[in-house]
Amino acid sequence: MMRAWIDTLFAFSTTLRNVGRRRVTEPLPWKRLRAHPERYRAGFALTDDEHGEVACIACKACENVCPSGIIRVEGERRESPVTGKKRAYPVSFVLDMNACIFCELCVQVCPSDAIRMRTAWTIPGTSREDQVLTLERLRANAREGHLSWATPGRLRAMQDPERKNGEGGEP
Amino acid sequence: MVDAHPSHEPVAPALVEVSGLSLPAAITHLPRPDPYLNVEDYEPEADAMALNMGPQHPSTHGVLRLKLFLDGEICFKAVPYVGYLHRGVEKLLENRTAIQSVPYVDKNDYVSPLTGELALVMAYEALLDVEPPPRAQVLRTILMELQRIASHHLWLGTFCLDMGGALGGGSSVFLYNFRERELILDLLEALTGQRMHYNALMVGGNRHDVPPGWEEKVLATMDRVEDRLAEYEAMTVDNHIFRSRTVGVGVLDPLLALEAGAGGANLRASGVDHDLRRDAPYAAYGQVDVRIPVETAGDCYARFLVRIAEMREAIRIVRLLVSGIPEGPIGALKPPRHVNAVKLPPGEVYVGIESPRGELGTYLISDGSPIPVRVKIRPPSLHAVSLLPYLCVGATVSDIVVILGSLDPILGEVDR
Ligand code: SF4
Ligand code: SF4
């Protein structure tokens, strides 16, 4: 019986030692102790190309690869008002974050560096529709920033079997 | 007197030979209860009662329902009911291509998702006859061992929580273990971008290379984890209350463990020296000499000792490998650009790896179309749960909580 008390007190000495340690829980929403790393995968954004037009060419690669089947892209071909060349544009782009598993496969396959993930979450909403990202919302997300390091091109450069060491591996 | 329990003395235990295996004599050929006992035929000494433990019970580690038939406080029959977390993962994988299926297996064993990914990816690689480059192999090994430490941290925390508040007050050990587990999740987050469902591997290699400065962070974290592990050991290993709750409780006959297909620490705590990392090396395990801790008492305390030793061993392997990651690419195949990028040849493969819970296997049949015809996952936790009808009989309800915790089943993996 005495042993049990001594051991219990000894275990409590570790507890006491931990009282003095730096706290690790985040006192949200008042303060953040640590930022997400650059590769963090949370929200989504559709970026613009160098001409200021949406970079997406509505190729549906992301729609086909998405394991949850939550991306719908409709596109049309038209002349670019900037460059005068004909290319495909998305008419509607819907990404339903309600069922997203944040696997990053849509980013993995995109041929035109259009879709990227963000390190910031979408503001919590009060309805399911608030988590459905449309073309406008995705482009607004891109303008707002907080984009993850991984672009489709960077990811594939990092995974390239022919790559020289170090190349593409650096965020 | 629990402290005088003979099987934890440092003397070598007596062994018996059973079909070529040397097993500890004291726990081999134990009498087995009948799991199909007819409750009507049982003559209780005290009041008989049927008690449902779970599915929504914090100590069932997920959604397991245990139906216990009690004679007073002693259980005379236990029936586990599984399937509350069934999501049809195998069927989902039979409708997904090789690229799409990796994120799904993350959700099987959600405490150790990377091992699930590796088991699936290695099955595809065996089917395609692809060998990942050395850098990917070493990175995978580091990831698996980091995951093992994180998984055992969660197990140790919940195990001590099951034990009640004697260890440093309330849920102290639980919270401390989660704190250290977070450090490892931070490392994995910096590498892959997620804390739990990584999608870090792909057929032929890894999806992510290490970010700058990651190796130093790993070494610093290993120092911290090792330092804190010594604290938990000081709180538990010699603790009188901890020992009286675990020593001699839930003794697992090695023959029963082998028959039920149990693996990992559950098997090694019963004196069976078996670990796929050493016996059938995969990834870069062939390059390191993995030391396998084995205990011979077969009780909850022995399983605890094996897992603690495994954590130390994992820290050692990570330290060994992280300072010498070979240069080169991390993938053997071209990075996938569309959903059918991996073409499967017809054939069948089985690949088994050592997850923190035992042998995790993937059986894959392909007829040459982009999606496999059949995917079967062999979850080690299912085999651990199948031991419960034997181990629970004769134990009190409070001991059953400890026995269940010591087997470390993850119900997401049991139900798939
Ligand atoms: S991250 Fe989400 S949207 Fe992108 S492929 Fe995965 S599930 Fe689909
Ligand atoms: S986001 Fe990329 S992958 Fe998806 S449709 Fe647009 S260009 Fe294609």
Side-chain angles (χ1 to χ4, degrees):
Chain A
M1 200 55 217
M2 203 52 213
R3 244 331 271 291
W5 278 109
I6 293 169
D7 286 350
T8 305
L9 285 178
F10 179 76
F12 264 104
S13 73
T14 310
T15 311
L16 274 183
R17 199 171 338 150
N18 275 289
V19 170
R21 290 215 168 109
R22 202 164 52 87
R23 95 153 155 210
V24 289
T25 46
E26 303 208 10
L28 292 174
W30 294 285
K31 201 172 152 206
R32 283 210 93 96
L33 296 180
R34 44 182 280 289
H36 292 303
E38 284 156 307
R39 295 186 183 178
Y40 194 64
R41 324 201 290 247
F44 292 90
L46 269 185
T47 53
D48 290 352
D49 62 7
E50 64 273 20
H51 308 300
E53 298 177 289
V54 65
C56 173
I57 52 170
C59 69
K60 288 181 185 266
C62 54
E63 177 175 322
N64 292 331
V65 84
C66 178
S68 312
I70 55 170
I71 302 180
R72 284 283 169 274
V73 194
E74 298 301 333
E76 64 167 27
R77 284 185 76 79
R78 60 170 185 258
E79 205 167 273
S80 158
V82 191
T83 60
K85 294 202 187 98
K86 258 197 144 189
R87 57 163 271 206
Y89 288 88
V91 181
S92 85
F93 194 113
V94 182
L95 195 157
D96 183 354
M97 284 233 290
N98 287 307
C100 179
I101 54 176
F102 298 96
C103 60
E104 211 184 26
L105 286 177
C106 44
V107 181
Q108 171 83 44
V109 298
C110 178
S112 68
D113 266 10
I115 190 162
R116 285 180 71 174
M117 297 191 83
R118 304 176 75 213
T119 56
W121 290 95
T122 312
I123 308 293
T126 50
S127 68
R128 281 168 186 247
E129 284 71 39
D130 288 342
Q131 300 301 326
V132 179
L133 300 176
T134 57
L135 185 57
E136 292 71 37
R137 287 185 69 188
L138 284 162
R139 294 191 71 187
N141 281 352
R143 285 191 289 276
E144 203 182 283
H146 304 295
L147 297 179
S148 303
W149 166 79
T151 65
R154 279 182 188 160
L155 265 182
R156 289 194 297 257
M158 184 160 76
Q159 300 156 355
D160 191 355
E162 254 96 66
R163 85 156 204 232
K164 304 280 167 294
N165 192 54
E167 213 178 275
E170 312 292 311
Chain B
M1 270 307 290
V2 273
D3 281 351
H5 195 272
S7 43
H8 293 295
E9 303 287 301
V11 292
L15 298 175
V16 286
E17 287 279 328
V18 185
S19 38
L21 290 167
S22 295
L23 304 173
I27 57 168
T28 307
H29 293 302
L30 291 180
R32 272 186 213 179
D34 173 17
Y36 304 106
L37 177 85
N38 190 353
V39 183
E40 310 292 320
D41 298 344
Y42 184 81
E43 309 241 329
E45 282 166 25
D47 286 342
M49 179 171 73
L51 177 75
N52 274 299
M53 197 168 114
Q56 277 97 356
H57 189 280
S59 67
T60 55
H61 295 248
V63 273
L64 171 69
R65 177 175 151 222
L66 257 183
K67 192 167 189 185
L68 304 175
F69 295 92
L70 303 176
D71 175 359
E73 215 200 333
I74 309 291
C75 172
F76 64 89
K77 176 179 167 144
V79 189
Y81 291 87
V82 298
Y84 290 93
L85 217 51
H86 180 65
R87 292 143 298 169
V89 171
E90 287 175 2
K91 196 71 200 163
L92 281 168
L93 298 190
E94 288 158 19
N95 290 291
R96 299 287 185 282
T97 65
I99 294 160
Q100 291 176 305
S101 50
V102 180
Y104 280 98
V105 283
D106 278 341
K107 280 88 183 161
N108 278 349
D109 179 353
Y110 39 74
V111 177
S112 155
L114 282 168
T115 42
E117 282 183 23
L118 186 65
L120 182 76
V121 162
M122 275 177 49
Y124 277 115
E125 282 164 2
L127 193 63
L128 288 159
D129 206 7
V130 178
E131 174 86 4
R135 187 177 174 84
Q137 297 281 39
V138 171
L139 265 177
R140 283 180 176 186
T141 314
I142 296 172
L143 291 181
M144 292 313 128
E145 292 307 307
L146 285 177
Q147 188 72 83
R148 190 179 313 275
I149 304 171
S151 167
H152 283 354
H153 263 311
L154 191 139
W155 165 79
L156 180 60
T158 47
F159 186 55
C160 292
L161 187 69
D162 292 342
M163 215 79 65
L167 305 163
S171 46
S172 302
V173 186
F174 175 71
L175 290 176
Y176 302 156
N177 274 288
F178 264 66
R179 182 183 59 193
E180 267 69 78
R181 177 173 173 264
E182 284 294 293
L183 295 176
I184 292 169
L185 296 195
D186 281 347
L187 295 174
L188 297 174
E189 185 189 26
L191 182 85
T192 67
Q194 283 286 21
R195 299 183 76 76
M196 271 181 92
H197 301 304
Y198 309 102
N199 191 19
L201 308 183
M202 60 179 189
V203 181
N206 287 22
R207 284 188 66 241
H208 303 94
D209 205 344
V210 294
W214 192 74
E215 293 94 335
E216 288 81 64
K217 266 191 252 165
V218 172
L219 288 173
T221 307
M222 287 304 107
D223 290 344
R224 167 80 74 91
V225 167
E226 192 173 38
D227 183 45
R228 297 287 163 85
L229 193 55
E231 267 180 30
Y232 312 140
E233 277 179 311
M235 284 170 95
T236 47
V237 174
D238 279 329
N239 189 299
H240 186 85
I241 298 174
F242 186 84
R243 288 184 64 124
S244 54
R245 290 297 310 273
T246 51
V247 172
V249 174
V251 178
L252 174 59
D253 183 341
L255 293 176
L256 172 64
L258 287 167
E259 277 167 38
N266 300 339
L267 189 60
R268 292 192 281 274
S270 289
V272 185
D273 190 2
H274 172 78
D275 191 312
L276 291 173
R277 291 178 292 164
R278 184 201 55 204
D279 301 341
Y282 51 93
Y285 283 113
Q287 300 169 22
V288 283
D289 133 60
V290 189
R291 302 184 208 138
I292 311 298
V294 180
E295 287 285 329
T296 51
D299 55 5
C300 295
Y301 189 68
R303 294 193 270 277
F304 159 82
L305 290 179
V306 168
R307 290 208 179 88
I308 295 279
E310 271 181 18
M311 282 165 91
R312 291 205 176 277
E313 178 62 13
I315 294 174
R316 190 184 73 90
I317 297 176
V318 170
R319 281 207 185 116
L320 258 178
L321 288 175
V322 84
S323 41
I325 306 178
E327 313 261 289
I330 54 165
L333 303 177
K334 273 186 136 23
R337 300 189 71 126
H338 60 90
V339 60
N340 289 332
V342 177
K343 302 263 181 302
L344 297 182
E348 305 188 17
V349 286
Y350 173 82
V351 168
I353 66 164
E354 189 76 23
S355 99
R357 270 156 274 286
E359 176 173 350
L360 172 61
T362 307
Y363 190 85
L364 205 72
I365 307 179
S366 160
D367 63 353
S369 63
I371 55 175
V373 180
R374 179 76 177 99
V375 183
K376 167 84 178 83
I377 294 171
R378 180 210 188 269
S381 299
L382 178 64
H383 299 261
V385 166
S386 74
L387 295 172
L388 285 172
Y390 298 95
L391 294 188
C392 291
V393 173
T396 60
V397 176
S398 52
D399 279 349
I400 287 172
V401 172
V402 177
I403 293 170
L404 177 59
S406 77
L407 293 176
D408 191 21
I410 296 296
L411 272 295
E413 180 177 64
V414 173
D415 301 338
R416 306 193 293 296

